[in-house]
Amino acid sequence: MRNFSDLLDGYRRFRSQQWATQRDRWDELKEGQSPKVMIIACSDSRVDPTQIFDTNPGETFVVRNVAALVPPFETTPGHHGVSSALEFAVQFLNVEEVVVMGHGSCGGCAAALSEQMKDMPPGKGGFIADWITLLDDARAKVVHDHGDLSSRAAQLAMEHEGIKTSLANLRTFPCIQEKEADGSIRLIGAWFAIAEGRLHVLDDETDQFSPVE
């Protein structure tokens, strides 16, 4: 278990090793960034996209939140964190691919499935409960398809449906619609199995997840 002092030790290793050996790369990055891939992932501490995909600094534009969710396009007043990050990546960085990566044992998906935080006040679970209402339609599908919502099969189905929900919501954004139409952007769904350390990718034709060989 690490605390901030341990993190500072890690920083010192980074400064003396990675920074020193990648100075040319960091000199390039000080002028700006030009990642080709945006990754929308879960905040879960066990699934760091930069580690899973073994990327270097500046190669991926990453947004992380509970359950790797993307809200649908809307222009109502408010603070649209995911939407603003998406807008920046797509319209200003001109990323060519957007990956939505969910994972096994996702607490956000489990909470959506069990509705254990429903009606909780903000600060005690209410913010999470409100956020994961984005999964209400996905939950309804899982409820329809699986009798036992506590089963591993139901949990896995919920995690997969969560990814599909975010992909569908991405396609409500005009900028995504335009760029998908002209072939300048590609949306990808992925799911990472923590226990096996294996990545599964969504096949657009079969609508099924398959492990990467």
Side-chain angles (χ1 to χ4, degrees):
M1 191 69 67
R2 292 189 168 211
N3 56 29
F4 188 64
S5 294
D6 296 323
L7 296 182
L8 289 178
D9 288 339
Y11 159 72
R12 294 183 183 99
R13 289 192 299 274
F14 158 77
R15 182 78 176 140
S16 64
Q17 299 171 22
Q18 296 181 41
W19 171 265
T21 59
Q22 293 188 337
R23 282 307 307 272
D24 289 345
R25 179 63 175 165
W26 287 105
D27 284 342
E28 292 175 7
L29 292 175
K30 72 182 181 183
E31 304 300 332
Q33 59 175 322
S34 56
K36 299 300 181 185
V37 181
M38 177 183 190
I39 302 174
I40 301 169
C42 185
S43 299
D44 194 299
S45 62
R46 300 166 293 178
V47 283
D48 180 357
T50 60
Q51 183 177 38
I52 292 169
F53 293 112
D54 191 24
T55 60
N56 290 312
E59 291 182 336
T60 55
F61 186 81
V62 180
V63 173
R64 301 179 70 176
N65 62 52
V66 173
L69 293 176
V70 177
F73 177 78
E74 58 184 2
T75 58
T76 54
H79 297 92
H80 303 288
V82 177
S83 300
S84 64
L86 177 69
E87 183 177 68
F88 182 67
V90 172
Q91 300 289 64
F92 295 92
L93 295 178
N94 294 308
V95 297
E96 297 172 0
E97 295 175 316
V98 179
V99 179
V100 176
M101 188 181 77
H103 66 92
S105 304
C106 178
C109 287
L113 195 60
S114 67
E115 295 188 323
Q116 66 191 65
M117 295 183 183
K118 190 174 183 179
D119 300 325
M120 286 186 174
K124 296 183 179 296
F127 288 126
I128 299 170
D130 182 62
W131 177 247
I132 58 178
T133 58
L134 290 167
L135 291 171
D136 282 353
D137 289 344
R139 181 183 187 277
K141 185 177 186 303
V142 175
V143 168
H144 178 270
D145 295 342
H146 297 268
D148 180 7
L149 296 185
S150 65
S151 69
R152 180 67 194 111
Q155 173 72 17
L156 177 60
M158 190 68 190
E159 291 161 1
H160 286 177
E161 288 301 320
I163 296 164
K164 294 175 184 179
T165 294
S166 286
L167 290 171
N169 286 345
L170 279 171
R171 291 187 167 102
T172 66
F173 285 78
C175 61
I176 295 292
Q177 294 170 0
E178 294 168 6
K179 288 180 177 270
E180 265 203 313
D182 66 22
S184 60
I185 204 164
R186 178 185 175 211
L187 304 187
I188 300 165
W191 178 85
F192 181 72
I194 294 175
E196 294 83 24
R198 177 159 293 198
L199 187 74
H200 298 237
V201 174
L202 179 63
D203 186 310
D204 292 333
E205 293 185 5
T206 65
D207 201 37
Q208 300 296 316
F209 287 84
S210 300
V212 176
E213 297 301 331

